[in-house]
Coordinates of all heavy atoms in Angstrom, one line a residue:
M75 N -4.9 15.5 0.0 CA -6.1 15.8 0.7 C -6.8 17.1 0.4 O -6.1 18.1 0.1 CB -5.8 15.7 2.2 CG -5.5 14.3 2.7 SD -4.8 14.4 4.4 CE -3.1 14.5 4.0
K76 N -8.1 17.2 0.5 CA -8.8 18.4 0.3 C -9.9 18.4 1.4 O -10.7 17.5 1.5 CB -9.5 18.4 -1.1 CG -10.3 19.7 -1.4 CD -9.3 20.8 -1.9 CE -10.1 22.0 -2.4 NZ -9.2 23.1 -2.9
I77 N -9.9 19.5 2.2 CA -10.9 19.7 3.3 C -11.8 20.8 2.9 O -11.3 21.9 2.5 CB -10.2 19.9 4.6 CG1 -9.3 18.7 4.9 CG2 -11.2 20.1 5.7 CD1 -8.4 18.9 6.2
Q78 N -13.1 20.6 3.1 CA -14.1 21.7 2.8 C -13.8 22.9 3.6 O -13.9 24.1 3.1 CB -15.5 21.2 3.0 CG -16.6 22.2 2.5 CD -18.0 21.6 2.8 OE1 -18.2 21.1 3.8 NE2 -18.8 21.8 1.8
K79 N -13.6 22.8 4.9 CA -13.3 23.9 5.8 C -12.5 23.4 7.0 O -12.4 22.2 7.3 CB -14.6 24.6 6.3 CG -15.5 23.7 7.1 CD -16.8 24.4 7.5 CE -17.7 23.5 8.4 NZ -18.9 24.3 8.9
L80 N -11.8 24.4 7.6 CA -10.8 24.0 8.6 C -11.3 24.1 10.1 O -10.5 24.1 11.0 CB -9.6 25.0 8.5 CG -8.8 24.8 7.2 CD1 -7.7 25.8 7.2 CD2 -8.2 23.4 7.1
S81 N -12.6 24.1 10.3 CA -13.2 24.0 11.6 C -14.6 23.5 11.6 O -15.3 23.6 10.6 CB -13.1 25.4 12.3 OG -14.1 26.3 11.7
G82 N -15.0 22.8 12.7 CA -16.3 22.3 12.8 C -16.5 21.1 11.9 O -15.6 20.4 11.5
K83 N -17.8 20.7 11.7 CA -18.1 19.6 10.9 C -17.9 19.9 9.4 O -18.2 20.9 8.9 CB -19.6 19.2 11.1 CG -19.8 18.6 12.5 CD -21.2 18.2 12.7 CE -21.5 17.6 14.1 NZ -22.8 17.2 14.3
T84 N -17.2 18.9 8.7 CA -16.8 19.2 7.3 C -16.7 17.9 6.6 O -17.0 16.8 7.1 CB -15.5 19.9 7.3 OG1 -15.2 20.3 6.0 CG2 -14.4 19.1 7.8
T85 N -16.4 18.0 5.3 CA -16.2 16.8 4.5 C -14.7 16.9 3.9 O -14.1 18.0 3.9 CB -17.2 16.7 3.3 OG1 -17.1 17.8 2.5 CG2 -18.6 16.5 3.9
F86 N -14.2 15.7 3.5 CA -12.9 15.7 3.0 C -12.7 14.6 1.9 O -13.6 13.8 1.8 CB -11.8 15.5 4.1 CG -11.9 14.1 4.7 CD1 -11.2 13.0 4.2 CD2 -12.8 13.8 5.7 CE1 -11.3 11.7 4.7 CE2 -12.9 12.5 6.3 CZ -12.2 11.5 5.8
S87 N -11.7 14.7 1.1 CA -11.4 13.7 0.1 C -9.9 13.6 0.0 O -9.1 14.4 0.5 CB -12.0 14.1 -1.2 OG -11.4 15.3 -1.7
G88 N -9.4 12.5 -0.6 CA -8.0 12.3 -0.8 C -7.7 11.0 -1.5 O -8.6 10.3 -2.0
T89 N -6.4 10.7 -1.6 CA -6.0 9.4 -2.3 C -5.5 8.4 -1.3 O -4.6 8.8 -0.5 CB -4.9 9.8 -3.3 OG1 -5.4 10.7 -4.2 CG2 -4.5 8.5 -4.1
M90 N -6.0 7.3 -1.3 CA -5.5 6.2 -0.4 C -4.7 5.2 -1.1 O -5.1 4.7 -2.2 CB -6.7 5.5 0.2 CG -6.4 4.2 1.0 SD -5.5 4.6 2.6 CE -6.9 5.2 3.6
T91 N -3.5 4.9 -0.6 CA -2.6 3.9 -1.2 C -2.6 2.7 -0.2 O -2.2 2.9 1.0 CB -1.2 4.4 -1.4 OG1 -1.2 5.5 -2.3 CG2 -0.3 3.3 -2.0
L92 N -3.1 1.6 -0.6 CA -3.2 0.4 0.2 C -3.1 -0.8 -0.6 O -3.6 -0.9 -1.7 CB -4.6 0.4 0.9 CG -5.0 -0.8 1.7 CD1 -4.1 -0.9 3.0 CD2 -6.5 -0.7 2.2
H93 N -2.3 -1.8 -0.1 CA -2.2 -3.1 -0.8 C -1.6 -2.9 -2.2 O -2.0 -3.6 -3.1 CB -3.5 -3.8 -0.8 CG -3.3 -5.3 -1.0 ND1 -3.8 -5.9 -2.2 CD2 -2.8 -6.3 -0.3 CE1 -3.6 -7.2 -2.1 NE2 -2.9 -7.5 -1.0
G94 N -0.8 -1.9 -2.4 CA -0.2 -1.6 -3.7 C -1.1 -1.0 -4.7 O -0.8 -0.8 -5.9
Q95 N -2.3 -0.6 -4.2 CA -3.3 0.0 -5.1 C -3.6 1.5 -4.6 O -3.4 1.8 -3.4 CB -4.6 -0.8 -5.1 CG -4.5 -2.2 -5.4 CD -4.0 -2.4 -6.9 OE1 -4.5 -1.8 -7.8 NE2 -3.0 -3.2 -7.1
Q96 N -4.1 2.3 -5.5 CA -4.3 3.7 -5.2 C -5.7 4.1 -5.7 O -6.1 3.9 -6.8 CB -3.3 4.6 -5.9 CG -2.9 5.8 -5.1 CD -1.8 6.6 -5.7 OE1 -2.0 7.0 -6.9 NE2 -0.7 6.9 -5.0
H97 N -6.6 4.6 -4.7 CA -7.9 5.0 -5.1 C -8.3 6.3 -4.3 O -7.8 6.5 -3.2 CB -8.9 3.9 -4.8 CG -8.8 2.7 -5.7 ND1 -9.3 2.7 -7.0 CD2 -8.2 1.5 -5.5 CE1 -9.0 1.5 -7.6 NE2 -8.4 0.8 -6.7
D98 N -9.2 7.0 -4.9 CA -9.8 8.2 -4.2 C -10.8 7.7 -3.2 O -11.6 6.8 -3.4 CB -10.4 9.2 -5.2 CG -9.4 9.8 -6.1 OD1 -8.3 9.9 -5.8 OD2 -9.9 10.2 -7.2
V99 N -10.8 8.4 -2.0 CA -11.8 8.1 -1.0 C -12.3 9.5 -0.4 O -11.7 10.5 -0.6 CB -11.2 7.3 0.2 CG1 -10.7 5.9 -0.3 CG2 -10.0 8.0 0.9
S100 N -13.4 9.4 0.2 CA -14.0 10.7 0.8 C -14.8 10.3 2.1 O -15.2 9.1 2.2 CB -14.8 11.4 -0.2 OG -15.9 10.6 -0.6
G101 N -14.9 11.3 3.0 CA -15.7 11.0 4.2 C -16.0 12.3 4.9 O -16.0 13.4 4.3
S102 N -16.4 12.1 6.2 CA -16.8 13.3 7.0 C -15.8 13.4 8.2 O -15.2 12.4 8.6 CB -18.2 13.1 7.5 OG -18.3 12.0 8.3
A103 N -15.7 14.6 8.7 CA -14.8 14.9 9.8 C -15.3 16.0 10.7 O -16.2 16.8 10.2 CB -13.4 15.2 9.3
E104 N -14.8 16.1 11.9 CA -15.0 17.3 12.7 C -13.6 17.7 13.2 O -12.8 17.0 13.7 CB -15.9 16.9 13.9 CG -16.2 18.2 14.8 CD -17.3 17.9 15.8 OE1 -17.8 16.8 15.9 OE2 -17.7 18.9 16.4
L105 N -13.3 19.0 13.0 CA -12.1 19.6 13.4 C -12.3 20.6 14.5 O -13.2 21.5 14.4 CB -11.4 20.4 12.2 CG -10.7 19.5 11.2 CD1 -11.6 18.6 10.4 CD2 -9.9 20.4 10.2
L106 N -11.5 20.5 15.6 CA -11.6 21.4 16.7 C -10.2 22.0 17.0 O -9.2 21.3 16.9 CB -12.1 20.6 18.0 CG -13.5 20.0 17.9 CD1 -13.7 19.2 19.1 CD2 -14.6 21.0 17.7
Q107 N -10.2 23.2 17.5 CA -8.9 23.8 17.9 C -8.4 23.1 19.1 O -9.1 22.7 20.0 CB -9.2 25.3 18.2 CG -9.6 26.2 17.0 CD -9.8 27.6 17.5 OE1 -9.4 28.0 18.5 NE2 -10.6 28.3 16.7

């Protein structure tokens, strides 16, 4: 995983392993203390 920043609204990416397959995915997130 890679997160743009560790607080507030941000974006992230990472590797998903599902159904025996592996692919990069990315999305948006909100992190709160």
Side-chain angles (χ1 to χ4, degrees):
M75 290 166 272
K76 184 81 172 181
I77 300 175
Q78 186 183 42
K79 60 179 182 177
L80 293 177
S81 68
K83 293 183 179 180
T84 186
T85 58
F86 67 91
S87 60
T89 303
M90 172 69 75
T91 301
L92 173 66
H93 199 247
Q95 306 295 313
Q96 214 175 56
H97 290 284
D98 293 336
V99 298
S100 60
S102 60
E104 184 167 6
L105 281 68
L106 299 174
Q107 294 176 19

